Amino acid sequence: MISIQNISKSYKDVPAVRDISFEVQKGELFGLIGPDGAGKTTLMRILMTLLIQDEGKATMNKLDVVNDYKEIRKIVGYMPGRFSLYQDLTVEENLNFFATVFKTTVAENYELIKDIYIQIEPFKNRLAGKLSGGMKQKLALSCALIHKPEILVLDEPTTGVDAVSRKEFWDMLKKLQKQGITILVSTPYMDEAVLCNRVALMQKGKVLDINTPQKLIENYTRKLYAIRSKDMHQLIQDLRAWEKTDSAFAFGQYLHVTGKDDEVEATEFENYLLKKNHLELQVFDIPPTIEDVFMDRMAEQ
Amino acid sequence: MNPYPDFRQKSPPLEGLGEANQKVIEVRDLVKKFGSFVANDHLNFDVYKGEIFGFLGANGAGKTTAMKILCGLSSPTSGKVKVAGFDIYKETEKVKRNIGYMSQKFSLYEDLTIAENIRFYSGIYGIKPAERKVKMEQLLKNLDIESARDSLIGSLPLGWKQKLAFSVAIFHDPKIVFLDEPTGGVDPITRRKFWDLIYEASDRGITVFVTTHYMDEAEYCNRVSIMNEGKIEALDTPENLKQQYGVKNMDEVFLKIARNKE
């Protein structure tokens, strides 16, 4: 449904996207996972026909992003990272406006947005600029869907959103996917990767890896330990100071630690840390998260 | 209905905080109303010297309102608030001089160089040139950015900017530094390096008051408060909160509190 071949784009001398290629299948929920500056927005803007690439070729449902831009705009829905609806129009006026621009009516495609719109309908006469963050997001999604697009592209819809609202938003995306819409979504939150069918891990304009979240985790073959003690700050310093430690990073209540060449056993870590007088010490094997995978790939670069 | 016990009055003893539980923030019955809307509904809490205090809550829970009051940028409707030992109503300017502030949205001037930004903030906080020079060299060395001193902030990678913004926010040795979602959007390695800086500041005795949407970061705080609809629903160490709610991590604590309210 989306095909990207060797796309590159620079802003003056600064490369934003470097030689990226991948495909998204029809009906897939595909995630671009990476921090600020990874090139996610640039890539999306190229696909949305809002920016022209320097090199490479990309198609949306076989339509070329440069030559067929008018046709593409009819079949895609786009929710940009920055709230970009009309702040001085009401909720209802915004929705009607977008429906009219796409030569349709709210009534015609109401089924598609019903679940989402119903939550903001009580505020339909409120100005969009006066909505809370969560409500703005729901309105923006409704407006992006009102012409029943085949492909939905969402640029960091959950950035700056609290943990509860993030979960709700992903539930909405899953429902839309069930209706056959192909979804490309970007996020800086690594834990959201597992909610996608496939993801591209991106960093500094490059794709580090593309796969299903499960496969990414399976392919991580390093020996990873979770370590905890009473004084976590001292623990991380002691581990980093040890020549047998390869990496030691905080992961919530534990540290995730790898040994040099993966040859360090749990008991060795334990003995070393006991000598350093750590109390309430725990060392055990732990399966990696997507964030471990990402950090490992970053270190390789 | 809140099915959970009320922790709001309780200030748990602080393990590992040597400074004899010296209060740097005292909040009693803080209320802030906008018209009929109650943004902060009788907040009560203390924050101690050198503590890393996580200030969590859903969007719209009232965190920003409370933070503005603590920074002396907004007055409460009622209640007693002391920050760095100063009364928030009468000694607002003294409060401002004794705190630092950094957010993801506003930090440094993009069209000034690193050195110019430091000079600018030193001027604002009345740091003498001789002292500034010594401290600036130290800062550039600590962050390993001596070669970039004359680079424009706008040209730096986001991770550098954030570390620099934090260092500048504590350049005048404030008693407290307020961090408003300091790690949004940065890569996972840089995010963790940023927390190294937070720990260093805390070791130096600077109190860190931090908001975040990353629940793993809530685990790195000495204590965490969780706000919902203008009230503090929970306040304790991450360990105690997890035990209290019978869950494995802070993410689940947060979901339980924020979801049960709806």
Side-chain angles (χ1 to χ4, degrees):
Chain A
M1 198 64 169
I2 303 175
S3 166
I4 299 164
Q5 294 157 33
N6 308 104
I7 289 280
S8 293
K9 173 77 189 174
S10 298
Y11 299 110
K12 289 180 187 160
D13 301 334
V14 185
V17 165
R18 313 183 203 197
D19 195 22
I20 285 184
S21 303
F22 64 85
E23 297 200 334
V24 179
Q25 306 305 319
K26 187 171 163 52
E28 200 171 20
L29 175 50
F30 191 97
L32 300 178
I33 315 287
D36 287 2
K40 308 187 298 290
T41 300
T42 298
L43 185 61
M44 283 186 164
R45 289 176 62 85
I46 290 169
L47 297 177
M48 287 297 96
T49 75
L50 300 171
L51 196 64
I52 294 177
Q53 69 272 28
D54 297 336
E55 283 165 62
K57 185 180 159 68
T59 61
M60 303 283 271
N61 197 16
K62 300 191 181 79
L63 297 166
D64 184 87
V65 293
V66 179
N67 300 323
D68 309 321
Y69 71 95
K70 282 188 180 164
E71 292 305 306
I72 287 182
R73 289 178 187 182
K74 290 178 194 160
I75 62 155
V76 295
Y78 178 43
M79 188 169 147
R82 195 175 290 179
F83 183 68
S84 47
L85 301 180
Y86 294 94
Q87 313 251 4
D88 48 356
L89 294 185
T90 65
V91 166
E92 198 174 29
E93 285 167 345
N94 265 295
L95 195 61
N96 279 326
F97 173 81
F98 281 93
T100 311
V101 165
F102 285 106
K103 298 191 174 70
T104 178
T105 61
V106 173
E108 197 170 335
N109 294 318
Y110 189 70
E111 266 314 297
L112 190 63
I113 62 162
K114 192 178 146 201
D115 283 348
I116 303 157
Y117 188 66
I118 214 159
Q119 300 172 53
I120 49 171
E121 209 161 19
F123 311 99
K124 66 181 180 186
N125 294 320
R126 192 177 285 189
L127 294 183
K130 302 268 181 206
L131 295 174
S132 72
M135 288 198 280
K136 276 183 183 166
Q137 202 189 30
K138 282 169 188 151
L139 177 59
L141 184 56
S142 299
C143 290
L145 286 167
I146 197 60
H147 59 296
K148 209 177 180 191
E150 293 172 39
I151 304 171
L152 181 64
V153 175
L154 309 124
D155 193 0
E156 297 204 12
T158 54
T159 292
V161 174
D162 69 68
V164 174
S165 307
R166 277 170 55 194
K167 286 213 161 59
E168 288 174 358
F169 195 84
W170 278 93
D171 289 343
M172 288 193 279
L173 289 189
K174 292 271 179 197
K175 278 189 190 162
L176 291 171
Q177 187 193 10
K178 281 199 186 114
Q179 309 207 37
I181 299 176
T182 305
I183 303 174
L184 179 69
V185 57
S186 67
T187 177
Y189 295 103
M190 305 279 149
D191 57 341
E192 293 182 345
V194 292
L195 302 166
C196 302
N197 299 124
R198 282 192 308 145
V199 296
L201 303 182
M202 289 181 72
Q203 163 84 353
K204 290 183 185 163
K206 285 186 186 159
V207 169
L208 302 176
D209 207 342
I210 296 181
N211 220 322
T212 64
Q214 296 76 17
K215 273 273 178 332
L216 283 174
I217 287 170
E218 278 170 30
N219 291 347
Y220 180 98
T221 52
R222 303 202 60 180
K223 251 188 200 166
L224 188 68
Y225 298 107
I227 304 185
R228 178 176 171 76
S229 83
K230 204 168 176 214
D231 186 349
M232 293 296 279
H233 189 40
Q234 191 58 46
L235 181 67
I236 201 162
Q237 286 176 341
D238 285 342
L239 280 165
R240 283 185 185 159
W242 197 31
E243 71 276 4
K244 288 194 171 182
T245 305
D246 186 34
S247 69
F249 290 111
F251 267 77
Q253 53 193 324
Y254 294 97
L255 302 183
H256 283 192
V257 180
T258 58
K260 280 266 154 69
D261 303 319
D262 294 320
E263 283 170 353
V264 189
E265 297 298 325
T267 48
E268 283 181 80
F269 277 114
E270 224 170 314
N271 290 335
Y272 166 73
L273 292 167
L274 286 172
K275 259 183 241 153
K276 292 276 175 186
N277 299 318
H278 279 279
L279 302 170
E280 297 169 26
L281 184 67
Q282 298 175 39
V283 182
F284 56 90
D285 293 0
I286 191 155
T289 66
I290 291 287
E291 200 154 356
D292 291 296
V293 175
F294 194 96
M295 286 162 67
D296 191 50
R297 293 289 153 78
M298 266 179 82
E300 273 173 21
Q301 290 280 309
Chain B
M1 274 295 288
N2 182 2
Y4 301 103
D6 189 341
F7 315 107
R8 279 169 290 178
Q9 306 304 323
K10 195 172 102 188
S11 287
L14 291 172
E15 258 184 274
L17 290 172
E19 300 278 347
N21 289 3
Q22 190 186 329
K23 289 175 192 169
V24 293
I25 299 177
E26 276 184 79
V27 177
R28 292 289 172 278
D29 283 317
L30 166 63
V31 174
K32 176 71 180 183
K33 291 183 188 171
F34 297 104
S36 62
F37 178 71
V38 185
N40 289 161
D41 189 358
H42 293 89
L43 304 185
N44 282 291
F45 63 93
D46 295 323
V47 184
Y48 299 89
K49 184 172 162 66
E51 188 175 19
I52 301 172
F53 189 85
F55 199 57
L56 311 185
N59 298 116
K63 300 189 302 279
T64 306
T65 302
M67 201 129 134
K68 275 189 179 165
I69 291 170
L70 295 176
C71 291
L73 300 173
S74 163
S75 280
T77 307
S78 64
K80 191 184 143 199
V81 182
K82 275 180 118 182
V83 174
F86 299 108
D87 184 280
I88 205 83
Y89 297 96
K90 294 180 203 140
E91 300 169 301
T92 318
E93 289 313 308
K94 283 186 184 158
V95 167
K96 287 182 191 165
R97 219 168 296 159
N98 282 282
I99 62 170
Y101 176 81
M102 177 206 161
S103 88
Q104 194 202 347
K105 284 157 209 138
F106 172 78
S107 46
L108 302 170
Y109 292 94
E110 299 262 309
D111 46 0
L112 295 183
T113 66
I114 292 178
E116 285 166 344
N117 265 288
I118 294 174
R119 214 154 67 213
F120 175 77
Y121 280 94
S122 300
I124 297 266
Y125 286 107
I127 297 170
K128 301 216 166 61
E131 189 191 346
R132 181 192 76 219
K133 279 180 190 146
V134 176
K135 289 182 82 173
M136 181 156 91
E137 293 312 316
Q138 206 181 341
L139 185 158
L140 295 174
K141 210 175 156 196
N142 277 352
L143 296 181
D144 201 15
I145 52 173
E146 285 156 299
S147 60
R149 63 193 305 144
D150 295 320
S151 306
L152 293 181
I153 296 294
S155 70
L156 301 176
L158 183 72
W160 286 32
K161 273 190 219 173
Q162 264 155 322
K163 280 194 261 181
L164 193 62
F166 179 72
S167 303
V168 170
I170 59 169
F171 198 68
H172 61 295
D173 292 313
K175 293 202 169 71
I176 308 151
V177 63
F178 291 89
L179 307 173
D180 194 1
E181 288 180 40
T183 55
V186 301
D187 70 70
I189 292 180
T190 308
R191 193 155 74 82
R192 286 168 173 81
K193 285 187 181 154
F194 191 87
W195 272 86
D196 290 345
L197 293 181
I198 291 182
Y199 277 117
E200 277 168 31
S202 154
D203 284 347
R204 274 168 54 190
I206 298 175
T207 301
V208 180
F209 191 96
V210 58
T211 72
T212 179
H213 285 309
Y214 289 100
M215 285 305 128
D216 59 332
E217 294 185 347
E219 308 267 4
Y220 312 151
C221 300
N222 295 113
R223 283 189 306 151
V224 168
S225 75
I226 302 179
M227 275 189 85
N228 204 348
E229 292 175 7
K231 293 183 177 137
I232 291 182
E233 295 295 342
L235 198 176
D236 215 324
T237 62
E239 213 50 51
N240 287 348
L241 285 174
K242 282 179 274 180
Q243 215 164 42
Q244 205 101 51
Y245 287 84
V247 292
K248 289 196 297 289
N249 53 48
M250 284 304 294
D251 197 29
E252 290 176 55
V253 172
F254 188 85
L255 289 179
K256 273 205 160 171
I257 291 173
R259 264 214 177 127
N260 270 323
K261 272 299 189 177
E262 283 180 0

